[in-house]
Amino acid sequence: MRMLWVAVVLVLCALGSLTIGARALAPSVYLDALLAFDPSDPAHVTLVAVRLPRLMAGIIAGAALGVAGTVMQALTRNPLADPGILGVNAGAAFALLLGTSLLGRSDEAMVALLSFPGAALASIAVFALGGGLRGDVGPVRLTLAGAALNALLLSLVSAVALVRQETLDVFRFWVAGSLTQATTRPLGAMAAVAALGGIIALVIAPRIEALSLGGALSRGLGTHPRRVQAGALLVVTLTTGAAVAVAGPIAFLGLMVPPLARLVSGHNLRAEMVVSAMAGAALLTFADTLGRLLMAPSEIRAGIMTALIGGPVFLWIARRIRPGAAT
């Protein structure tokens, strides 16, 4: 029943994203635009060519980051794990900006593919620096490693932007995530990649749960820790890469969603992943819509809105970590 309520909230957030904007649309426009699109009608163009892609981008990125955050927190047993805080978003953004600088913006779909190696390298680096390869990863150690990597990658992003003048416009997009450029993003391809990551996550969820019992006991249950870790990092790479490719680096969303999902799903990782996907999509579309309302007709980027909401949540979670867990 609780999961149903999350789905209802997602539907309401989606409707809000479609109906709220600088241009007011009559209720009859929505059905007409979807069933009989007229490219000469400005109202139809606004709905189908602007708001609908923006909603799709929010759902794809929000769901992907929700799953990524859930997998990272379950794998590391770290409530502070998040693709943005641990530098995975920054790795994908740096690869994209570097690709745009070198290849230009002629092929957005090709450049978007660079987010995946960037996210993969950042995931592996922060996991290794945090002690994951030795099996002694701790919440504070992993967070510090991710913060250091995030700072380094953002510095590199700034350096690339300053070297070439034409990358400054791209830099403004990648320094704070936004759904404003959804129409230029390969939404269909990234939705497929995010869905693939979600399916893999659901398949390996029981094995990730087994790892929480400890290395020796999980091996006794037939789990291979290295394979599970590799599968989890693949999930994080696919989902985070897809999210960054369509919306840029959205911070704190992967941090906020998993605790909410656990309240709904209980201690069932598969159910938590499903709830996290729906809640992540709802939260990002809500943040984007709220950003459009607060400074209308201008807007606050969705990445800034999630940071404003997620910053206090991060501090609250950090204060709850027991000193004994800071290894």
Side-chain angles (χ1 to χ4, degrees):
M1 179 60 72
R2 291 181 178 179
M3 192 177 296
L4 179 61
W5 281 111
V6 177
V8 170
V9 171
L10 173 58
V11 171
L12 293 176
C13 290
L15 291 176
S17 178
L18 286 177
T19 56
I20 296 174
R23 180 188 178 95
L25 301 178
S28 60
V29 169
Y30 296 94
L31 189 60
D32 291 342
L34 294 176
L35 297 180
F37 176 68
D38 182 2
S40 63
D41 189 332
H44 285 200
V45 173
T46 298
L47 180 64
V48 176
V50 178
R51 293 187 187 178
L52 191 57
R54 189 164 184 160
L55 171 61
M56 292 175 60
I59 291 175
I60 293 168
L65 290 174
V67 172
T70 298
V71 170
M72 293 182 76
Q73 292 187 15
L75 179 67
T76 62
R77 299 187 294 279
N78 179 7
L80 298 178
D82 165 77
I85 296 172
L86 300 188
V88 183
N89 281 352
F94 171 68
L96 279 164
L97 185 64
L98 184 62
T100 303
S101 177
L102 297 177
L103 304 177
R105 304 181 65 179
S106 58
D107 191 343
E108 294 281 357
M110 183 62 67
V111 173
L113 294 177
L114 295 175
S115 65
F116 298 102
L121 292 175
S123 299
I124 295 171
V126 72
F127 191 67
L129 291 172
L133 298 180
R134 300 189 304 272
D136 59 349
V137 61
V140 173
R141 179 183 299 163
L142 189 70
T143 304
L144 291 176
L149 181 66
N150 191 53
L152 172 63
L153 290 170
L154 288 179
S155 297
L156 293 175
V157 167
S158 302
V160 172
L162 293 175
V163 167
R164 302 192 62 172
Q165 181 69 26
E166 60 269 26
T167 60
L168 286 176
D169 290 337
V170 183
F171 172 73
R172 282 195 291 268
F173 175 75
W174 292 116
V175 75
S178 173
L179 304 181
T180 56
Q181 298 185 19
T183 54
T184 66
R185 304 297 165 190
L187 298 180
M190 293 303 104
V193 172
L196 176 61
I199 292 171
I200 296 174
L202 292 173
V203 171
I204 67 173
R207 295 173 176 82
I208 295 177
E209 288 179 310
L211 286 184
S212 65
L213 301 176
L217 186 54
S218 64
R219 290 187 186 91
L221 294 174
T223 301
H224 301 277
R226 290 290 182 269
R227 294 179 186 177
V228 177
Q229 291 169 353
L233 291 177
L234 175 61
V235 170
V236 172
T237 297
L238 292 175
T239 52
T240 303
V244 173
V246 300
I250 302 293
F252 291 107
L253 193 144
L255 171 78
M256 295 183 286
V257 168
L260 296 175
R262 282 191 287 271
L263 292 176
V264 174
S265 62
H267 298 286
N268 184 317
L269 188 56
R270 278 181 174 165
E272 183 183 335
M273 290 175 178
V274 174
V275 175
S276 290
M278 292 191 294
L283 182 58
L284 184 54
T285 53
F286 171 75
D288 179 59
T289 304
L290 185 61
R292 279 183 274 167
L293 286 175
L294 291 179
M295 295 187 65
S298 299
E299 65 178 73
I300 304 174
R301 290 173 178 261
I304 297 176
M305 292 302 302
T306 57
L308 290 174
I309 300 170
V313 176
F314 173 82
L315 295 176
W316 177 71
I317 295 175
R319 287 178 59 88
R320 295 186 63 192
I321 294 180
R322 296 189 307 273
T327 60

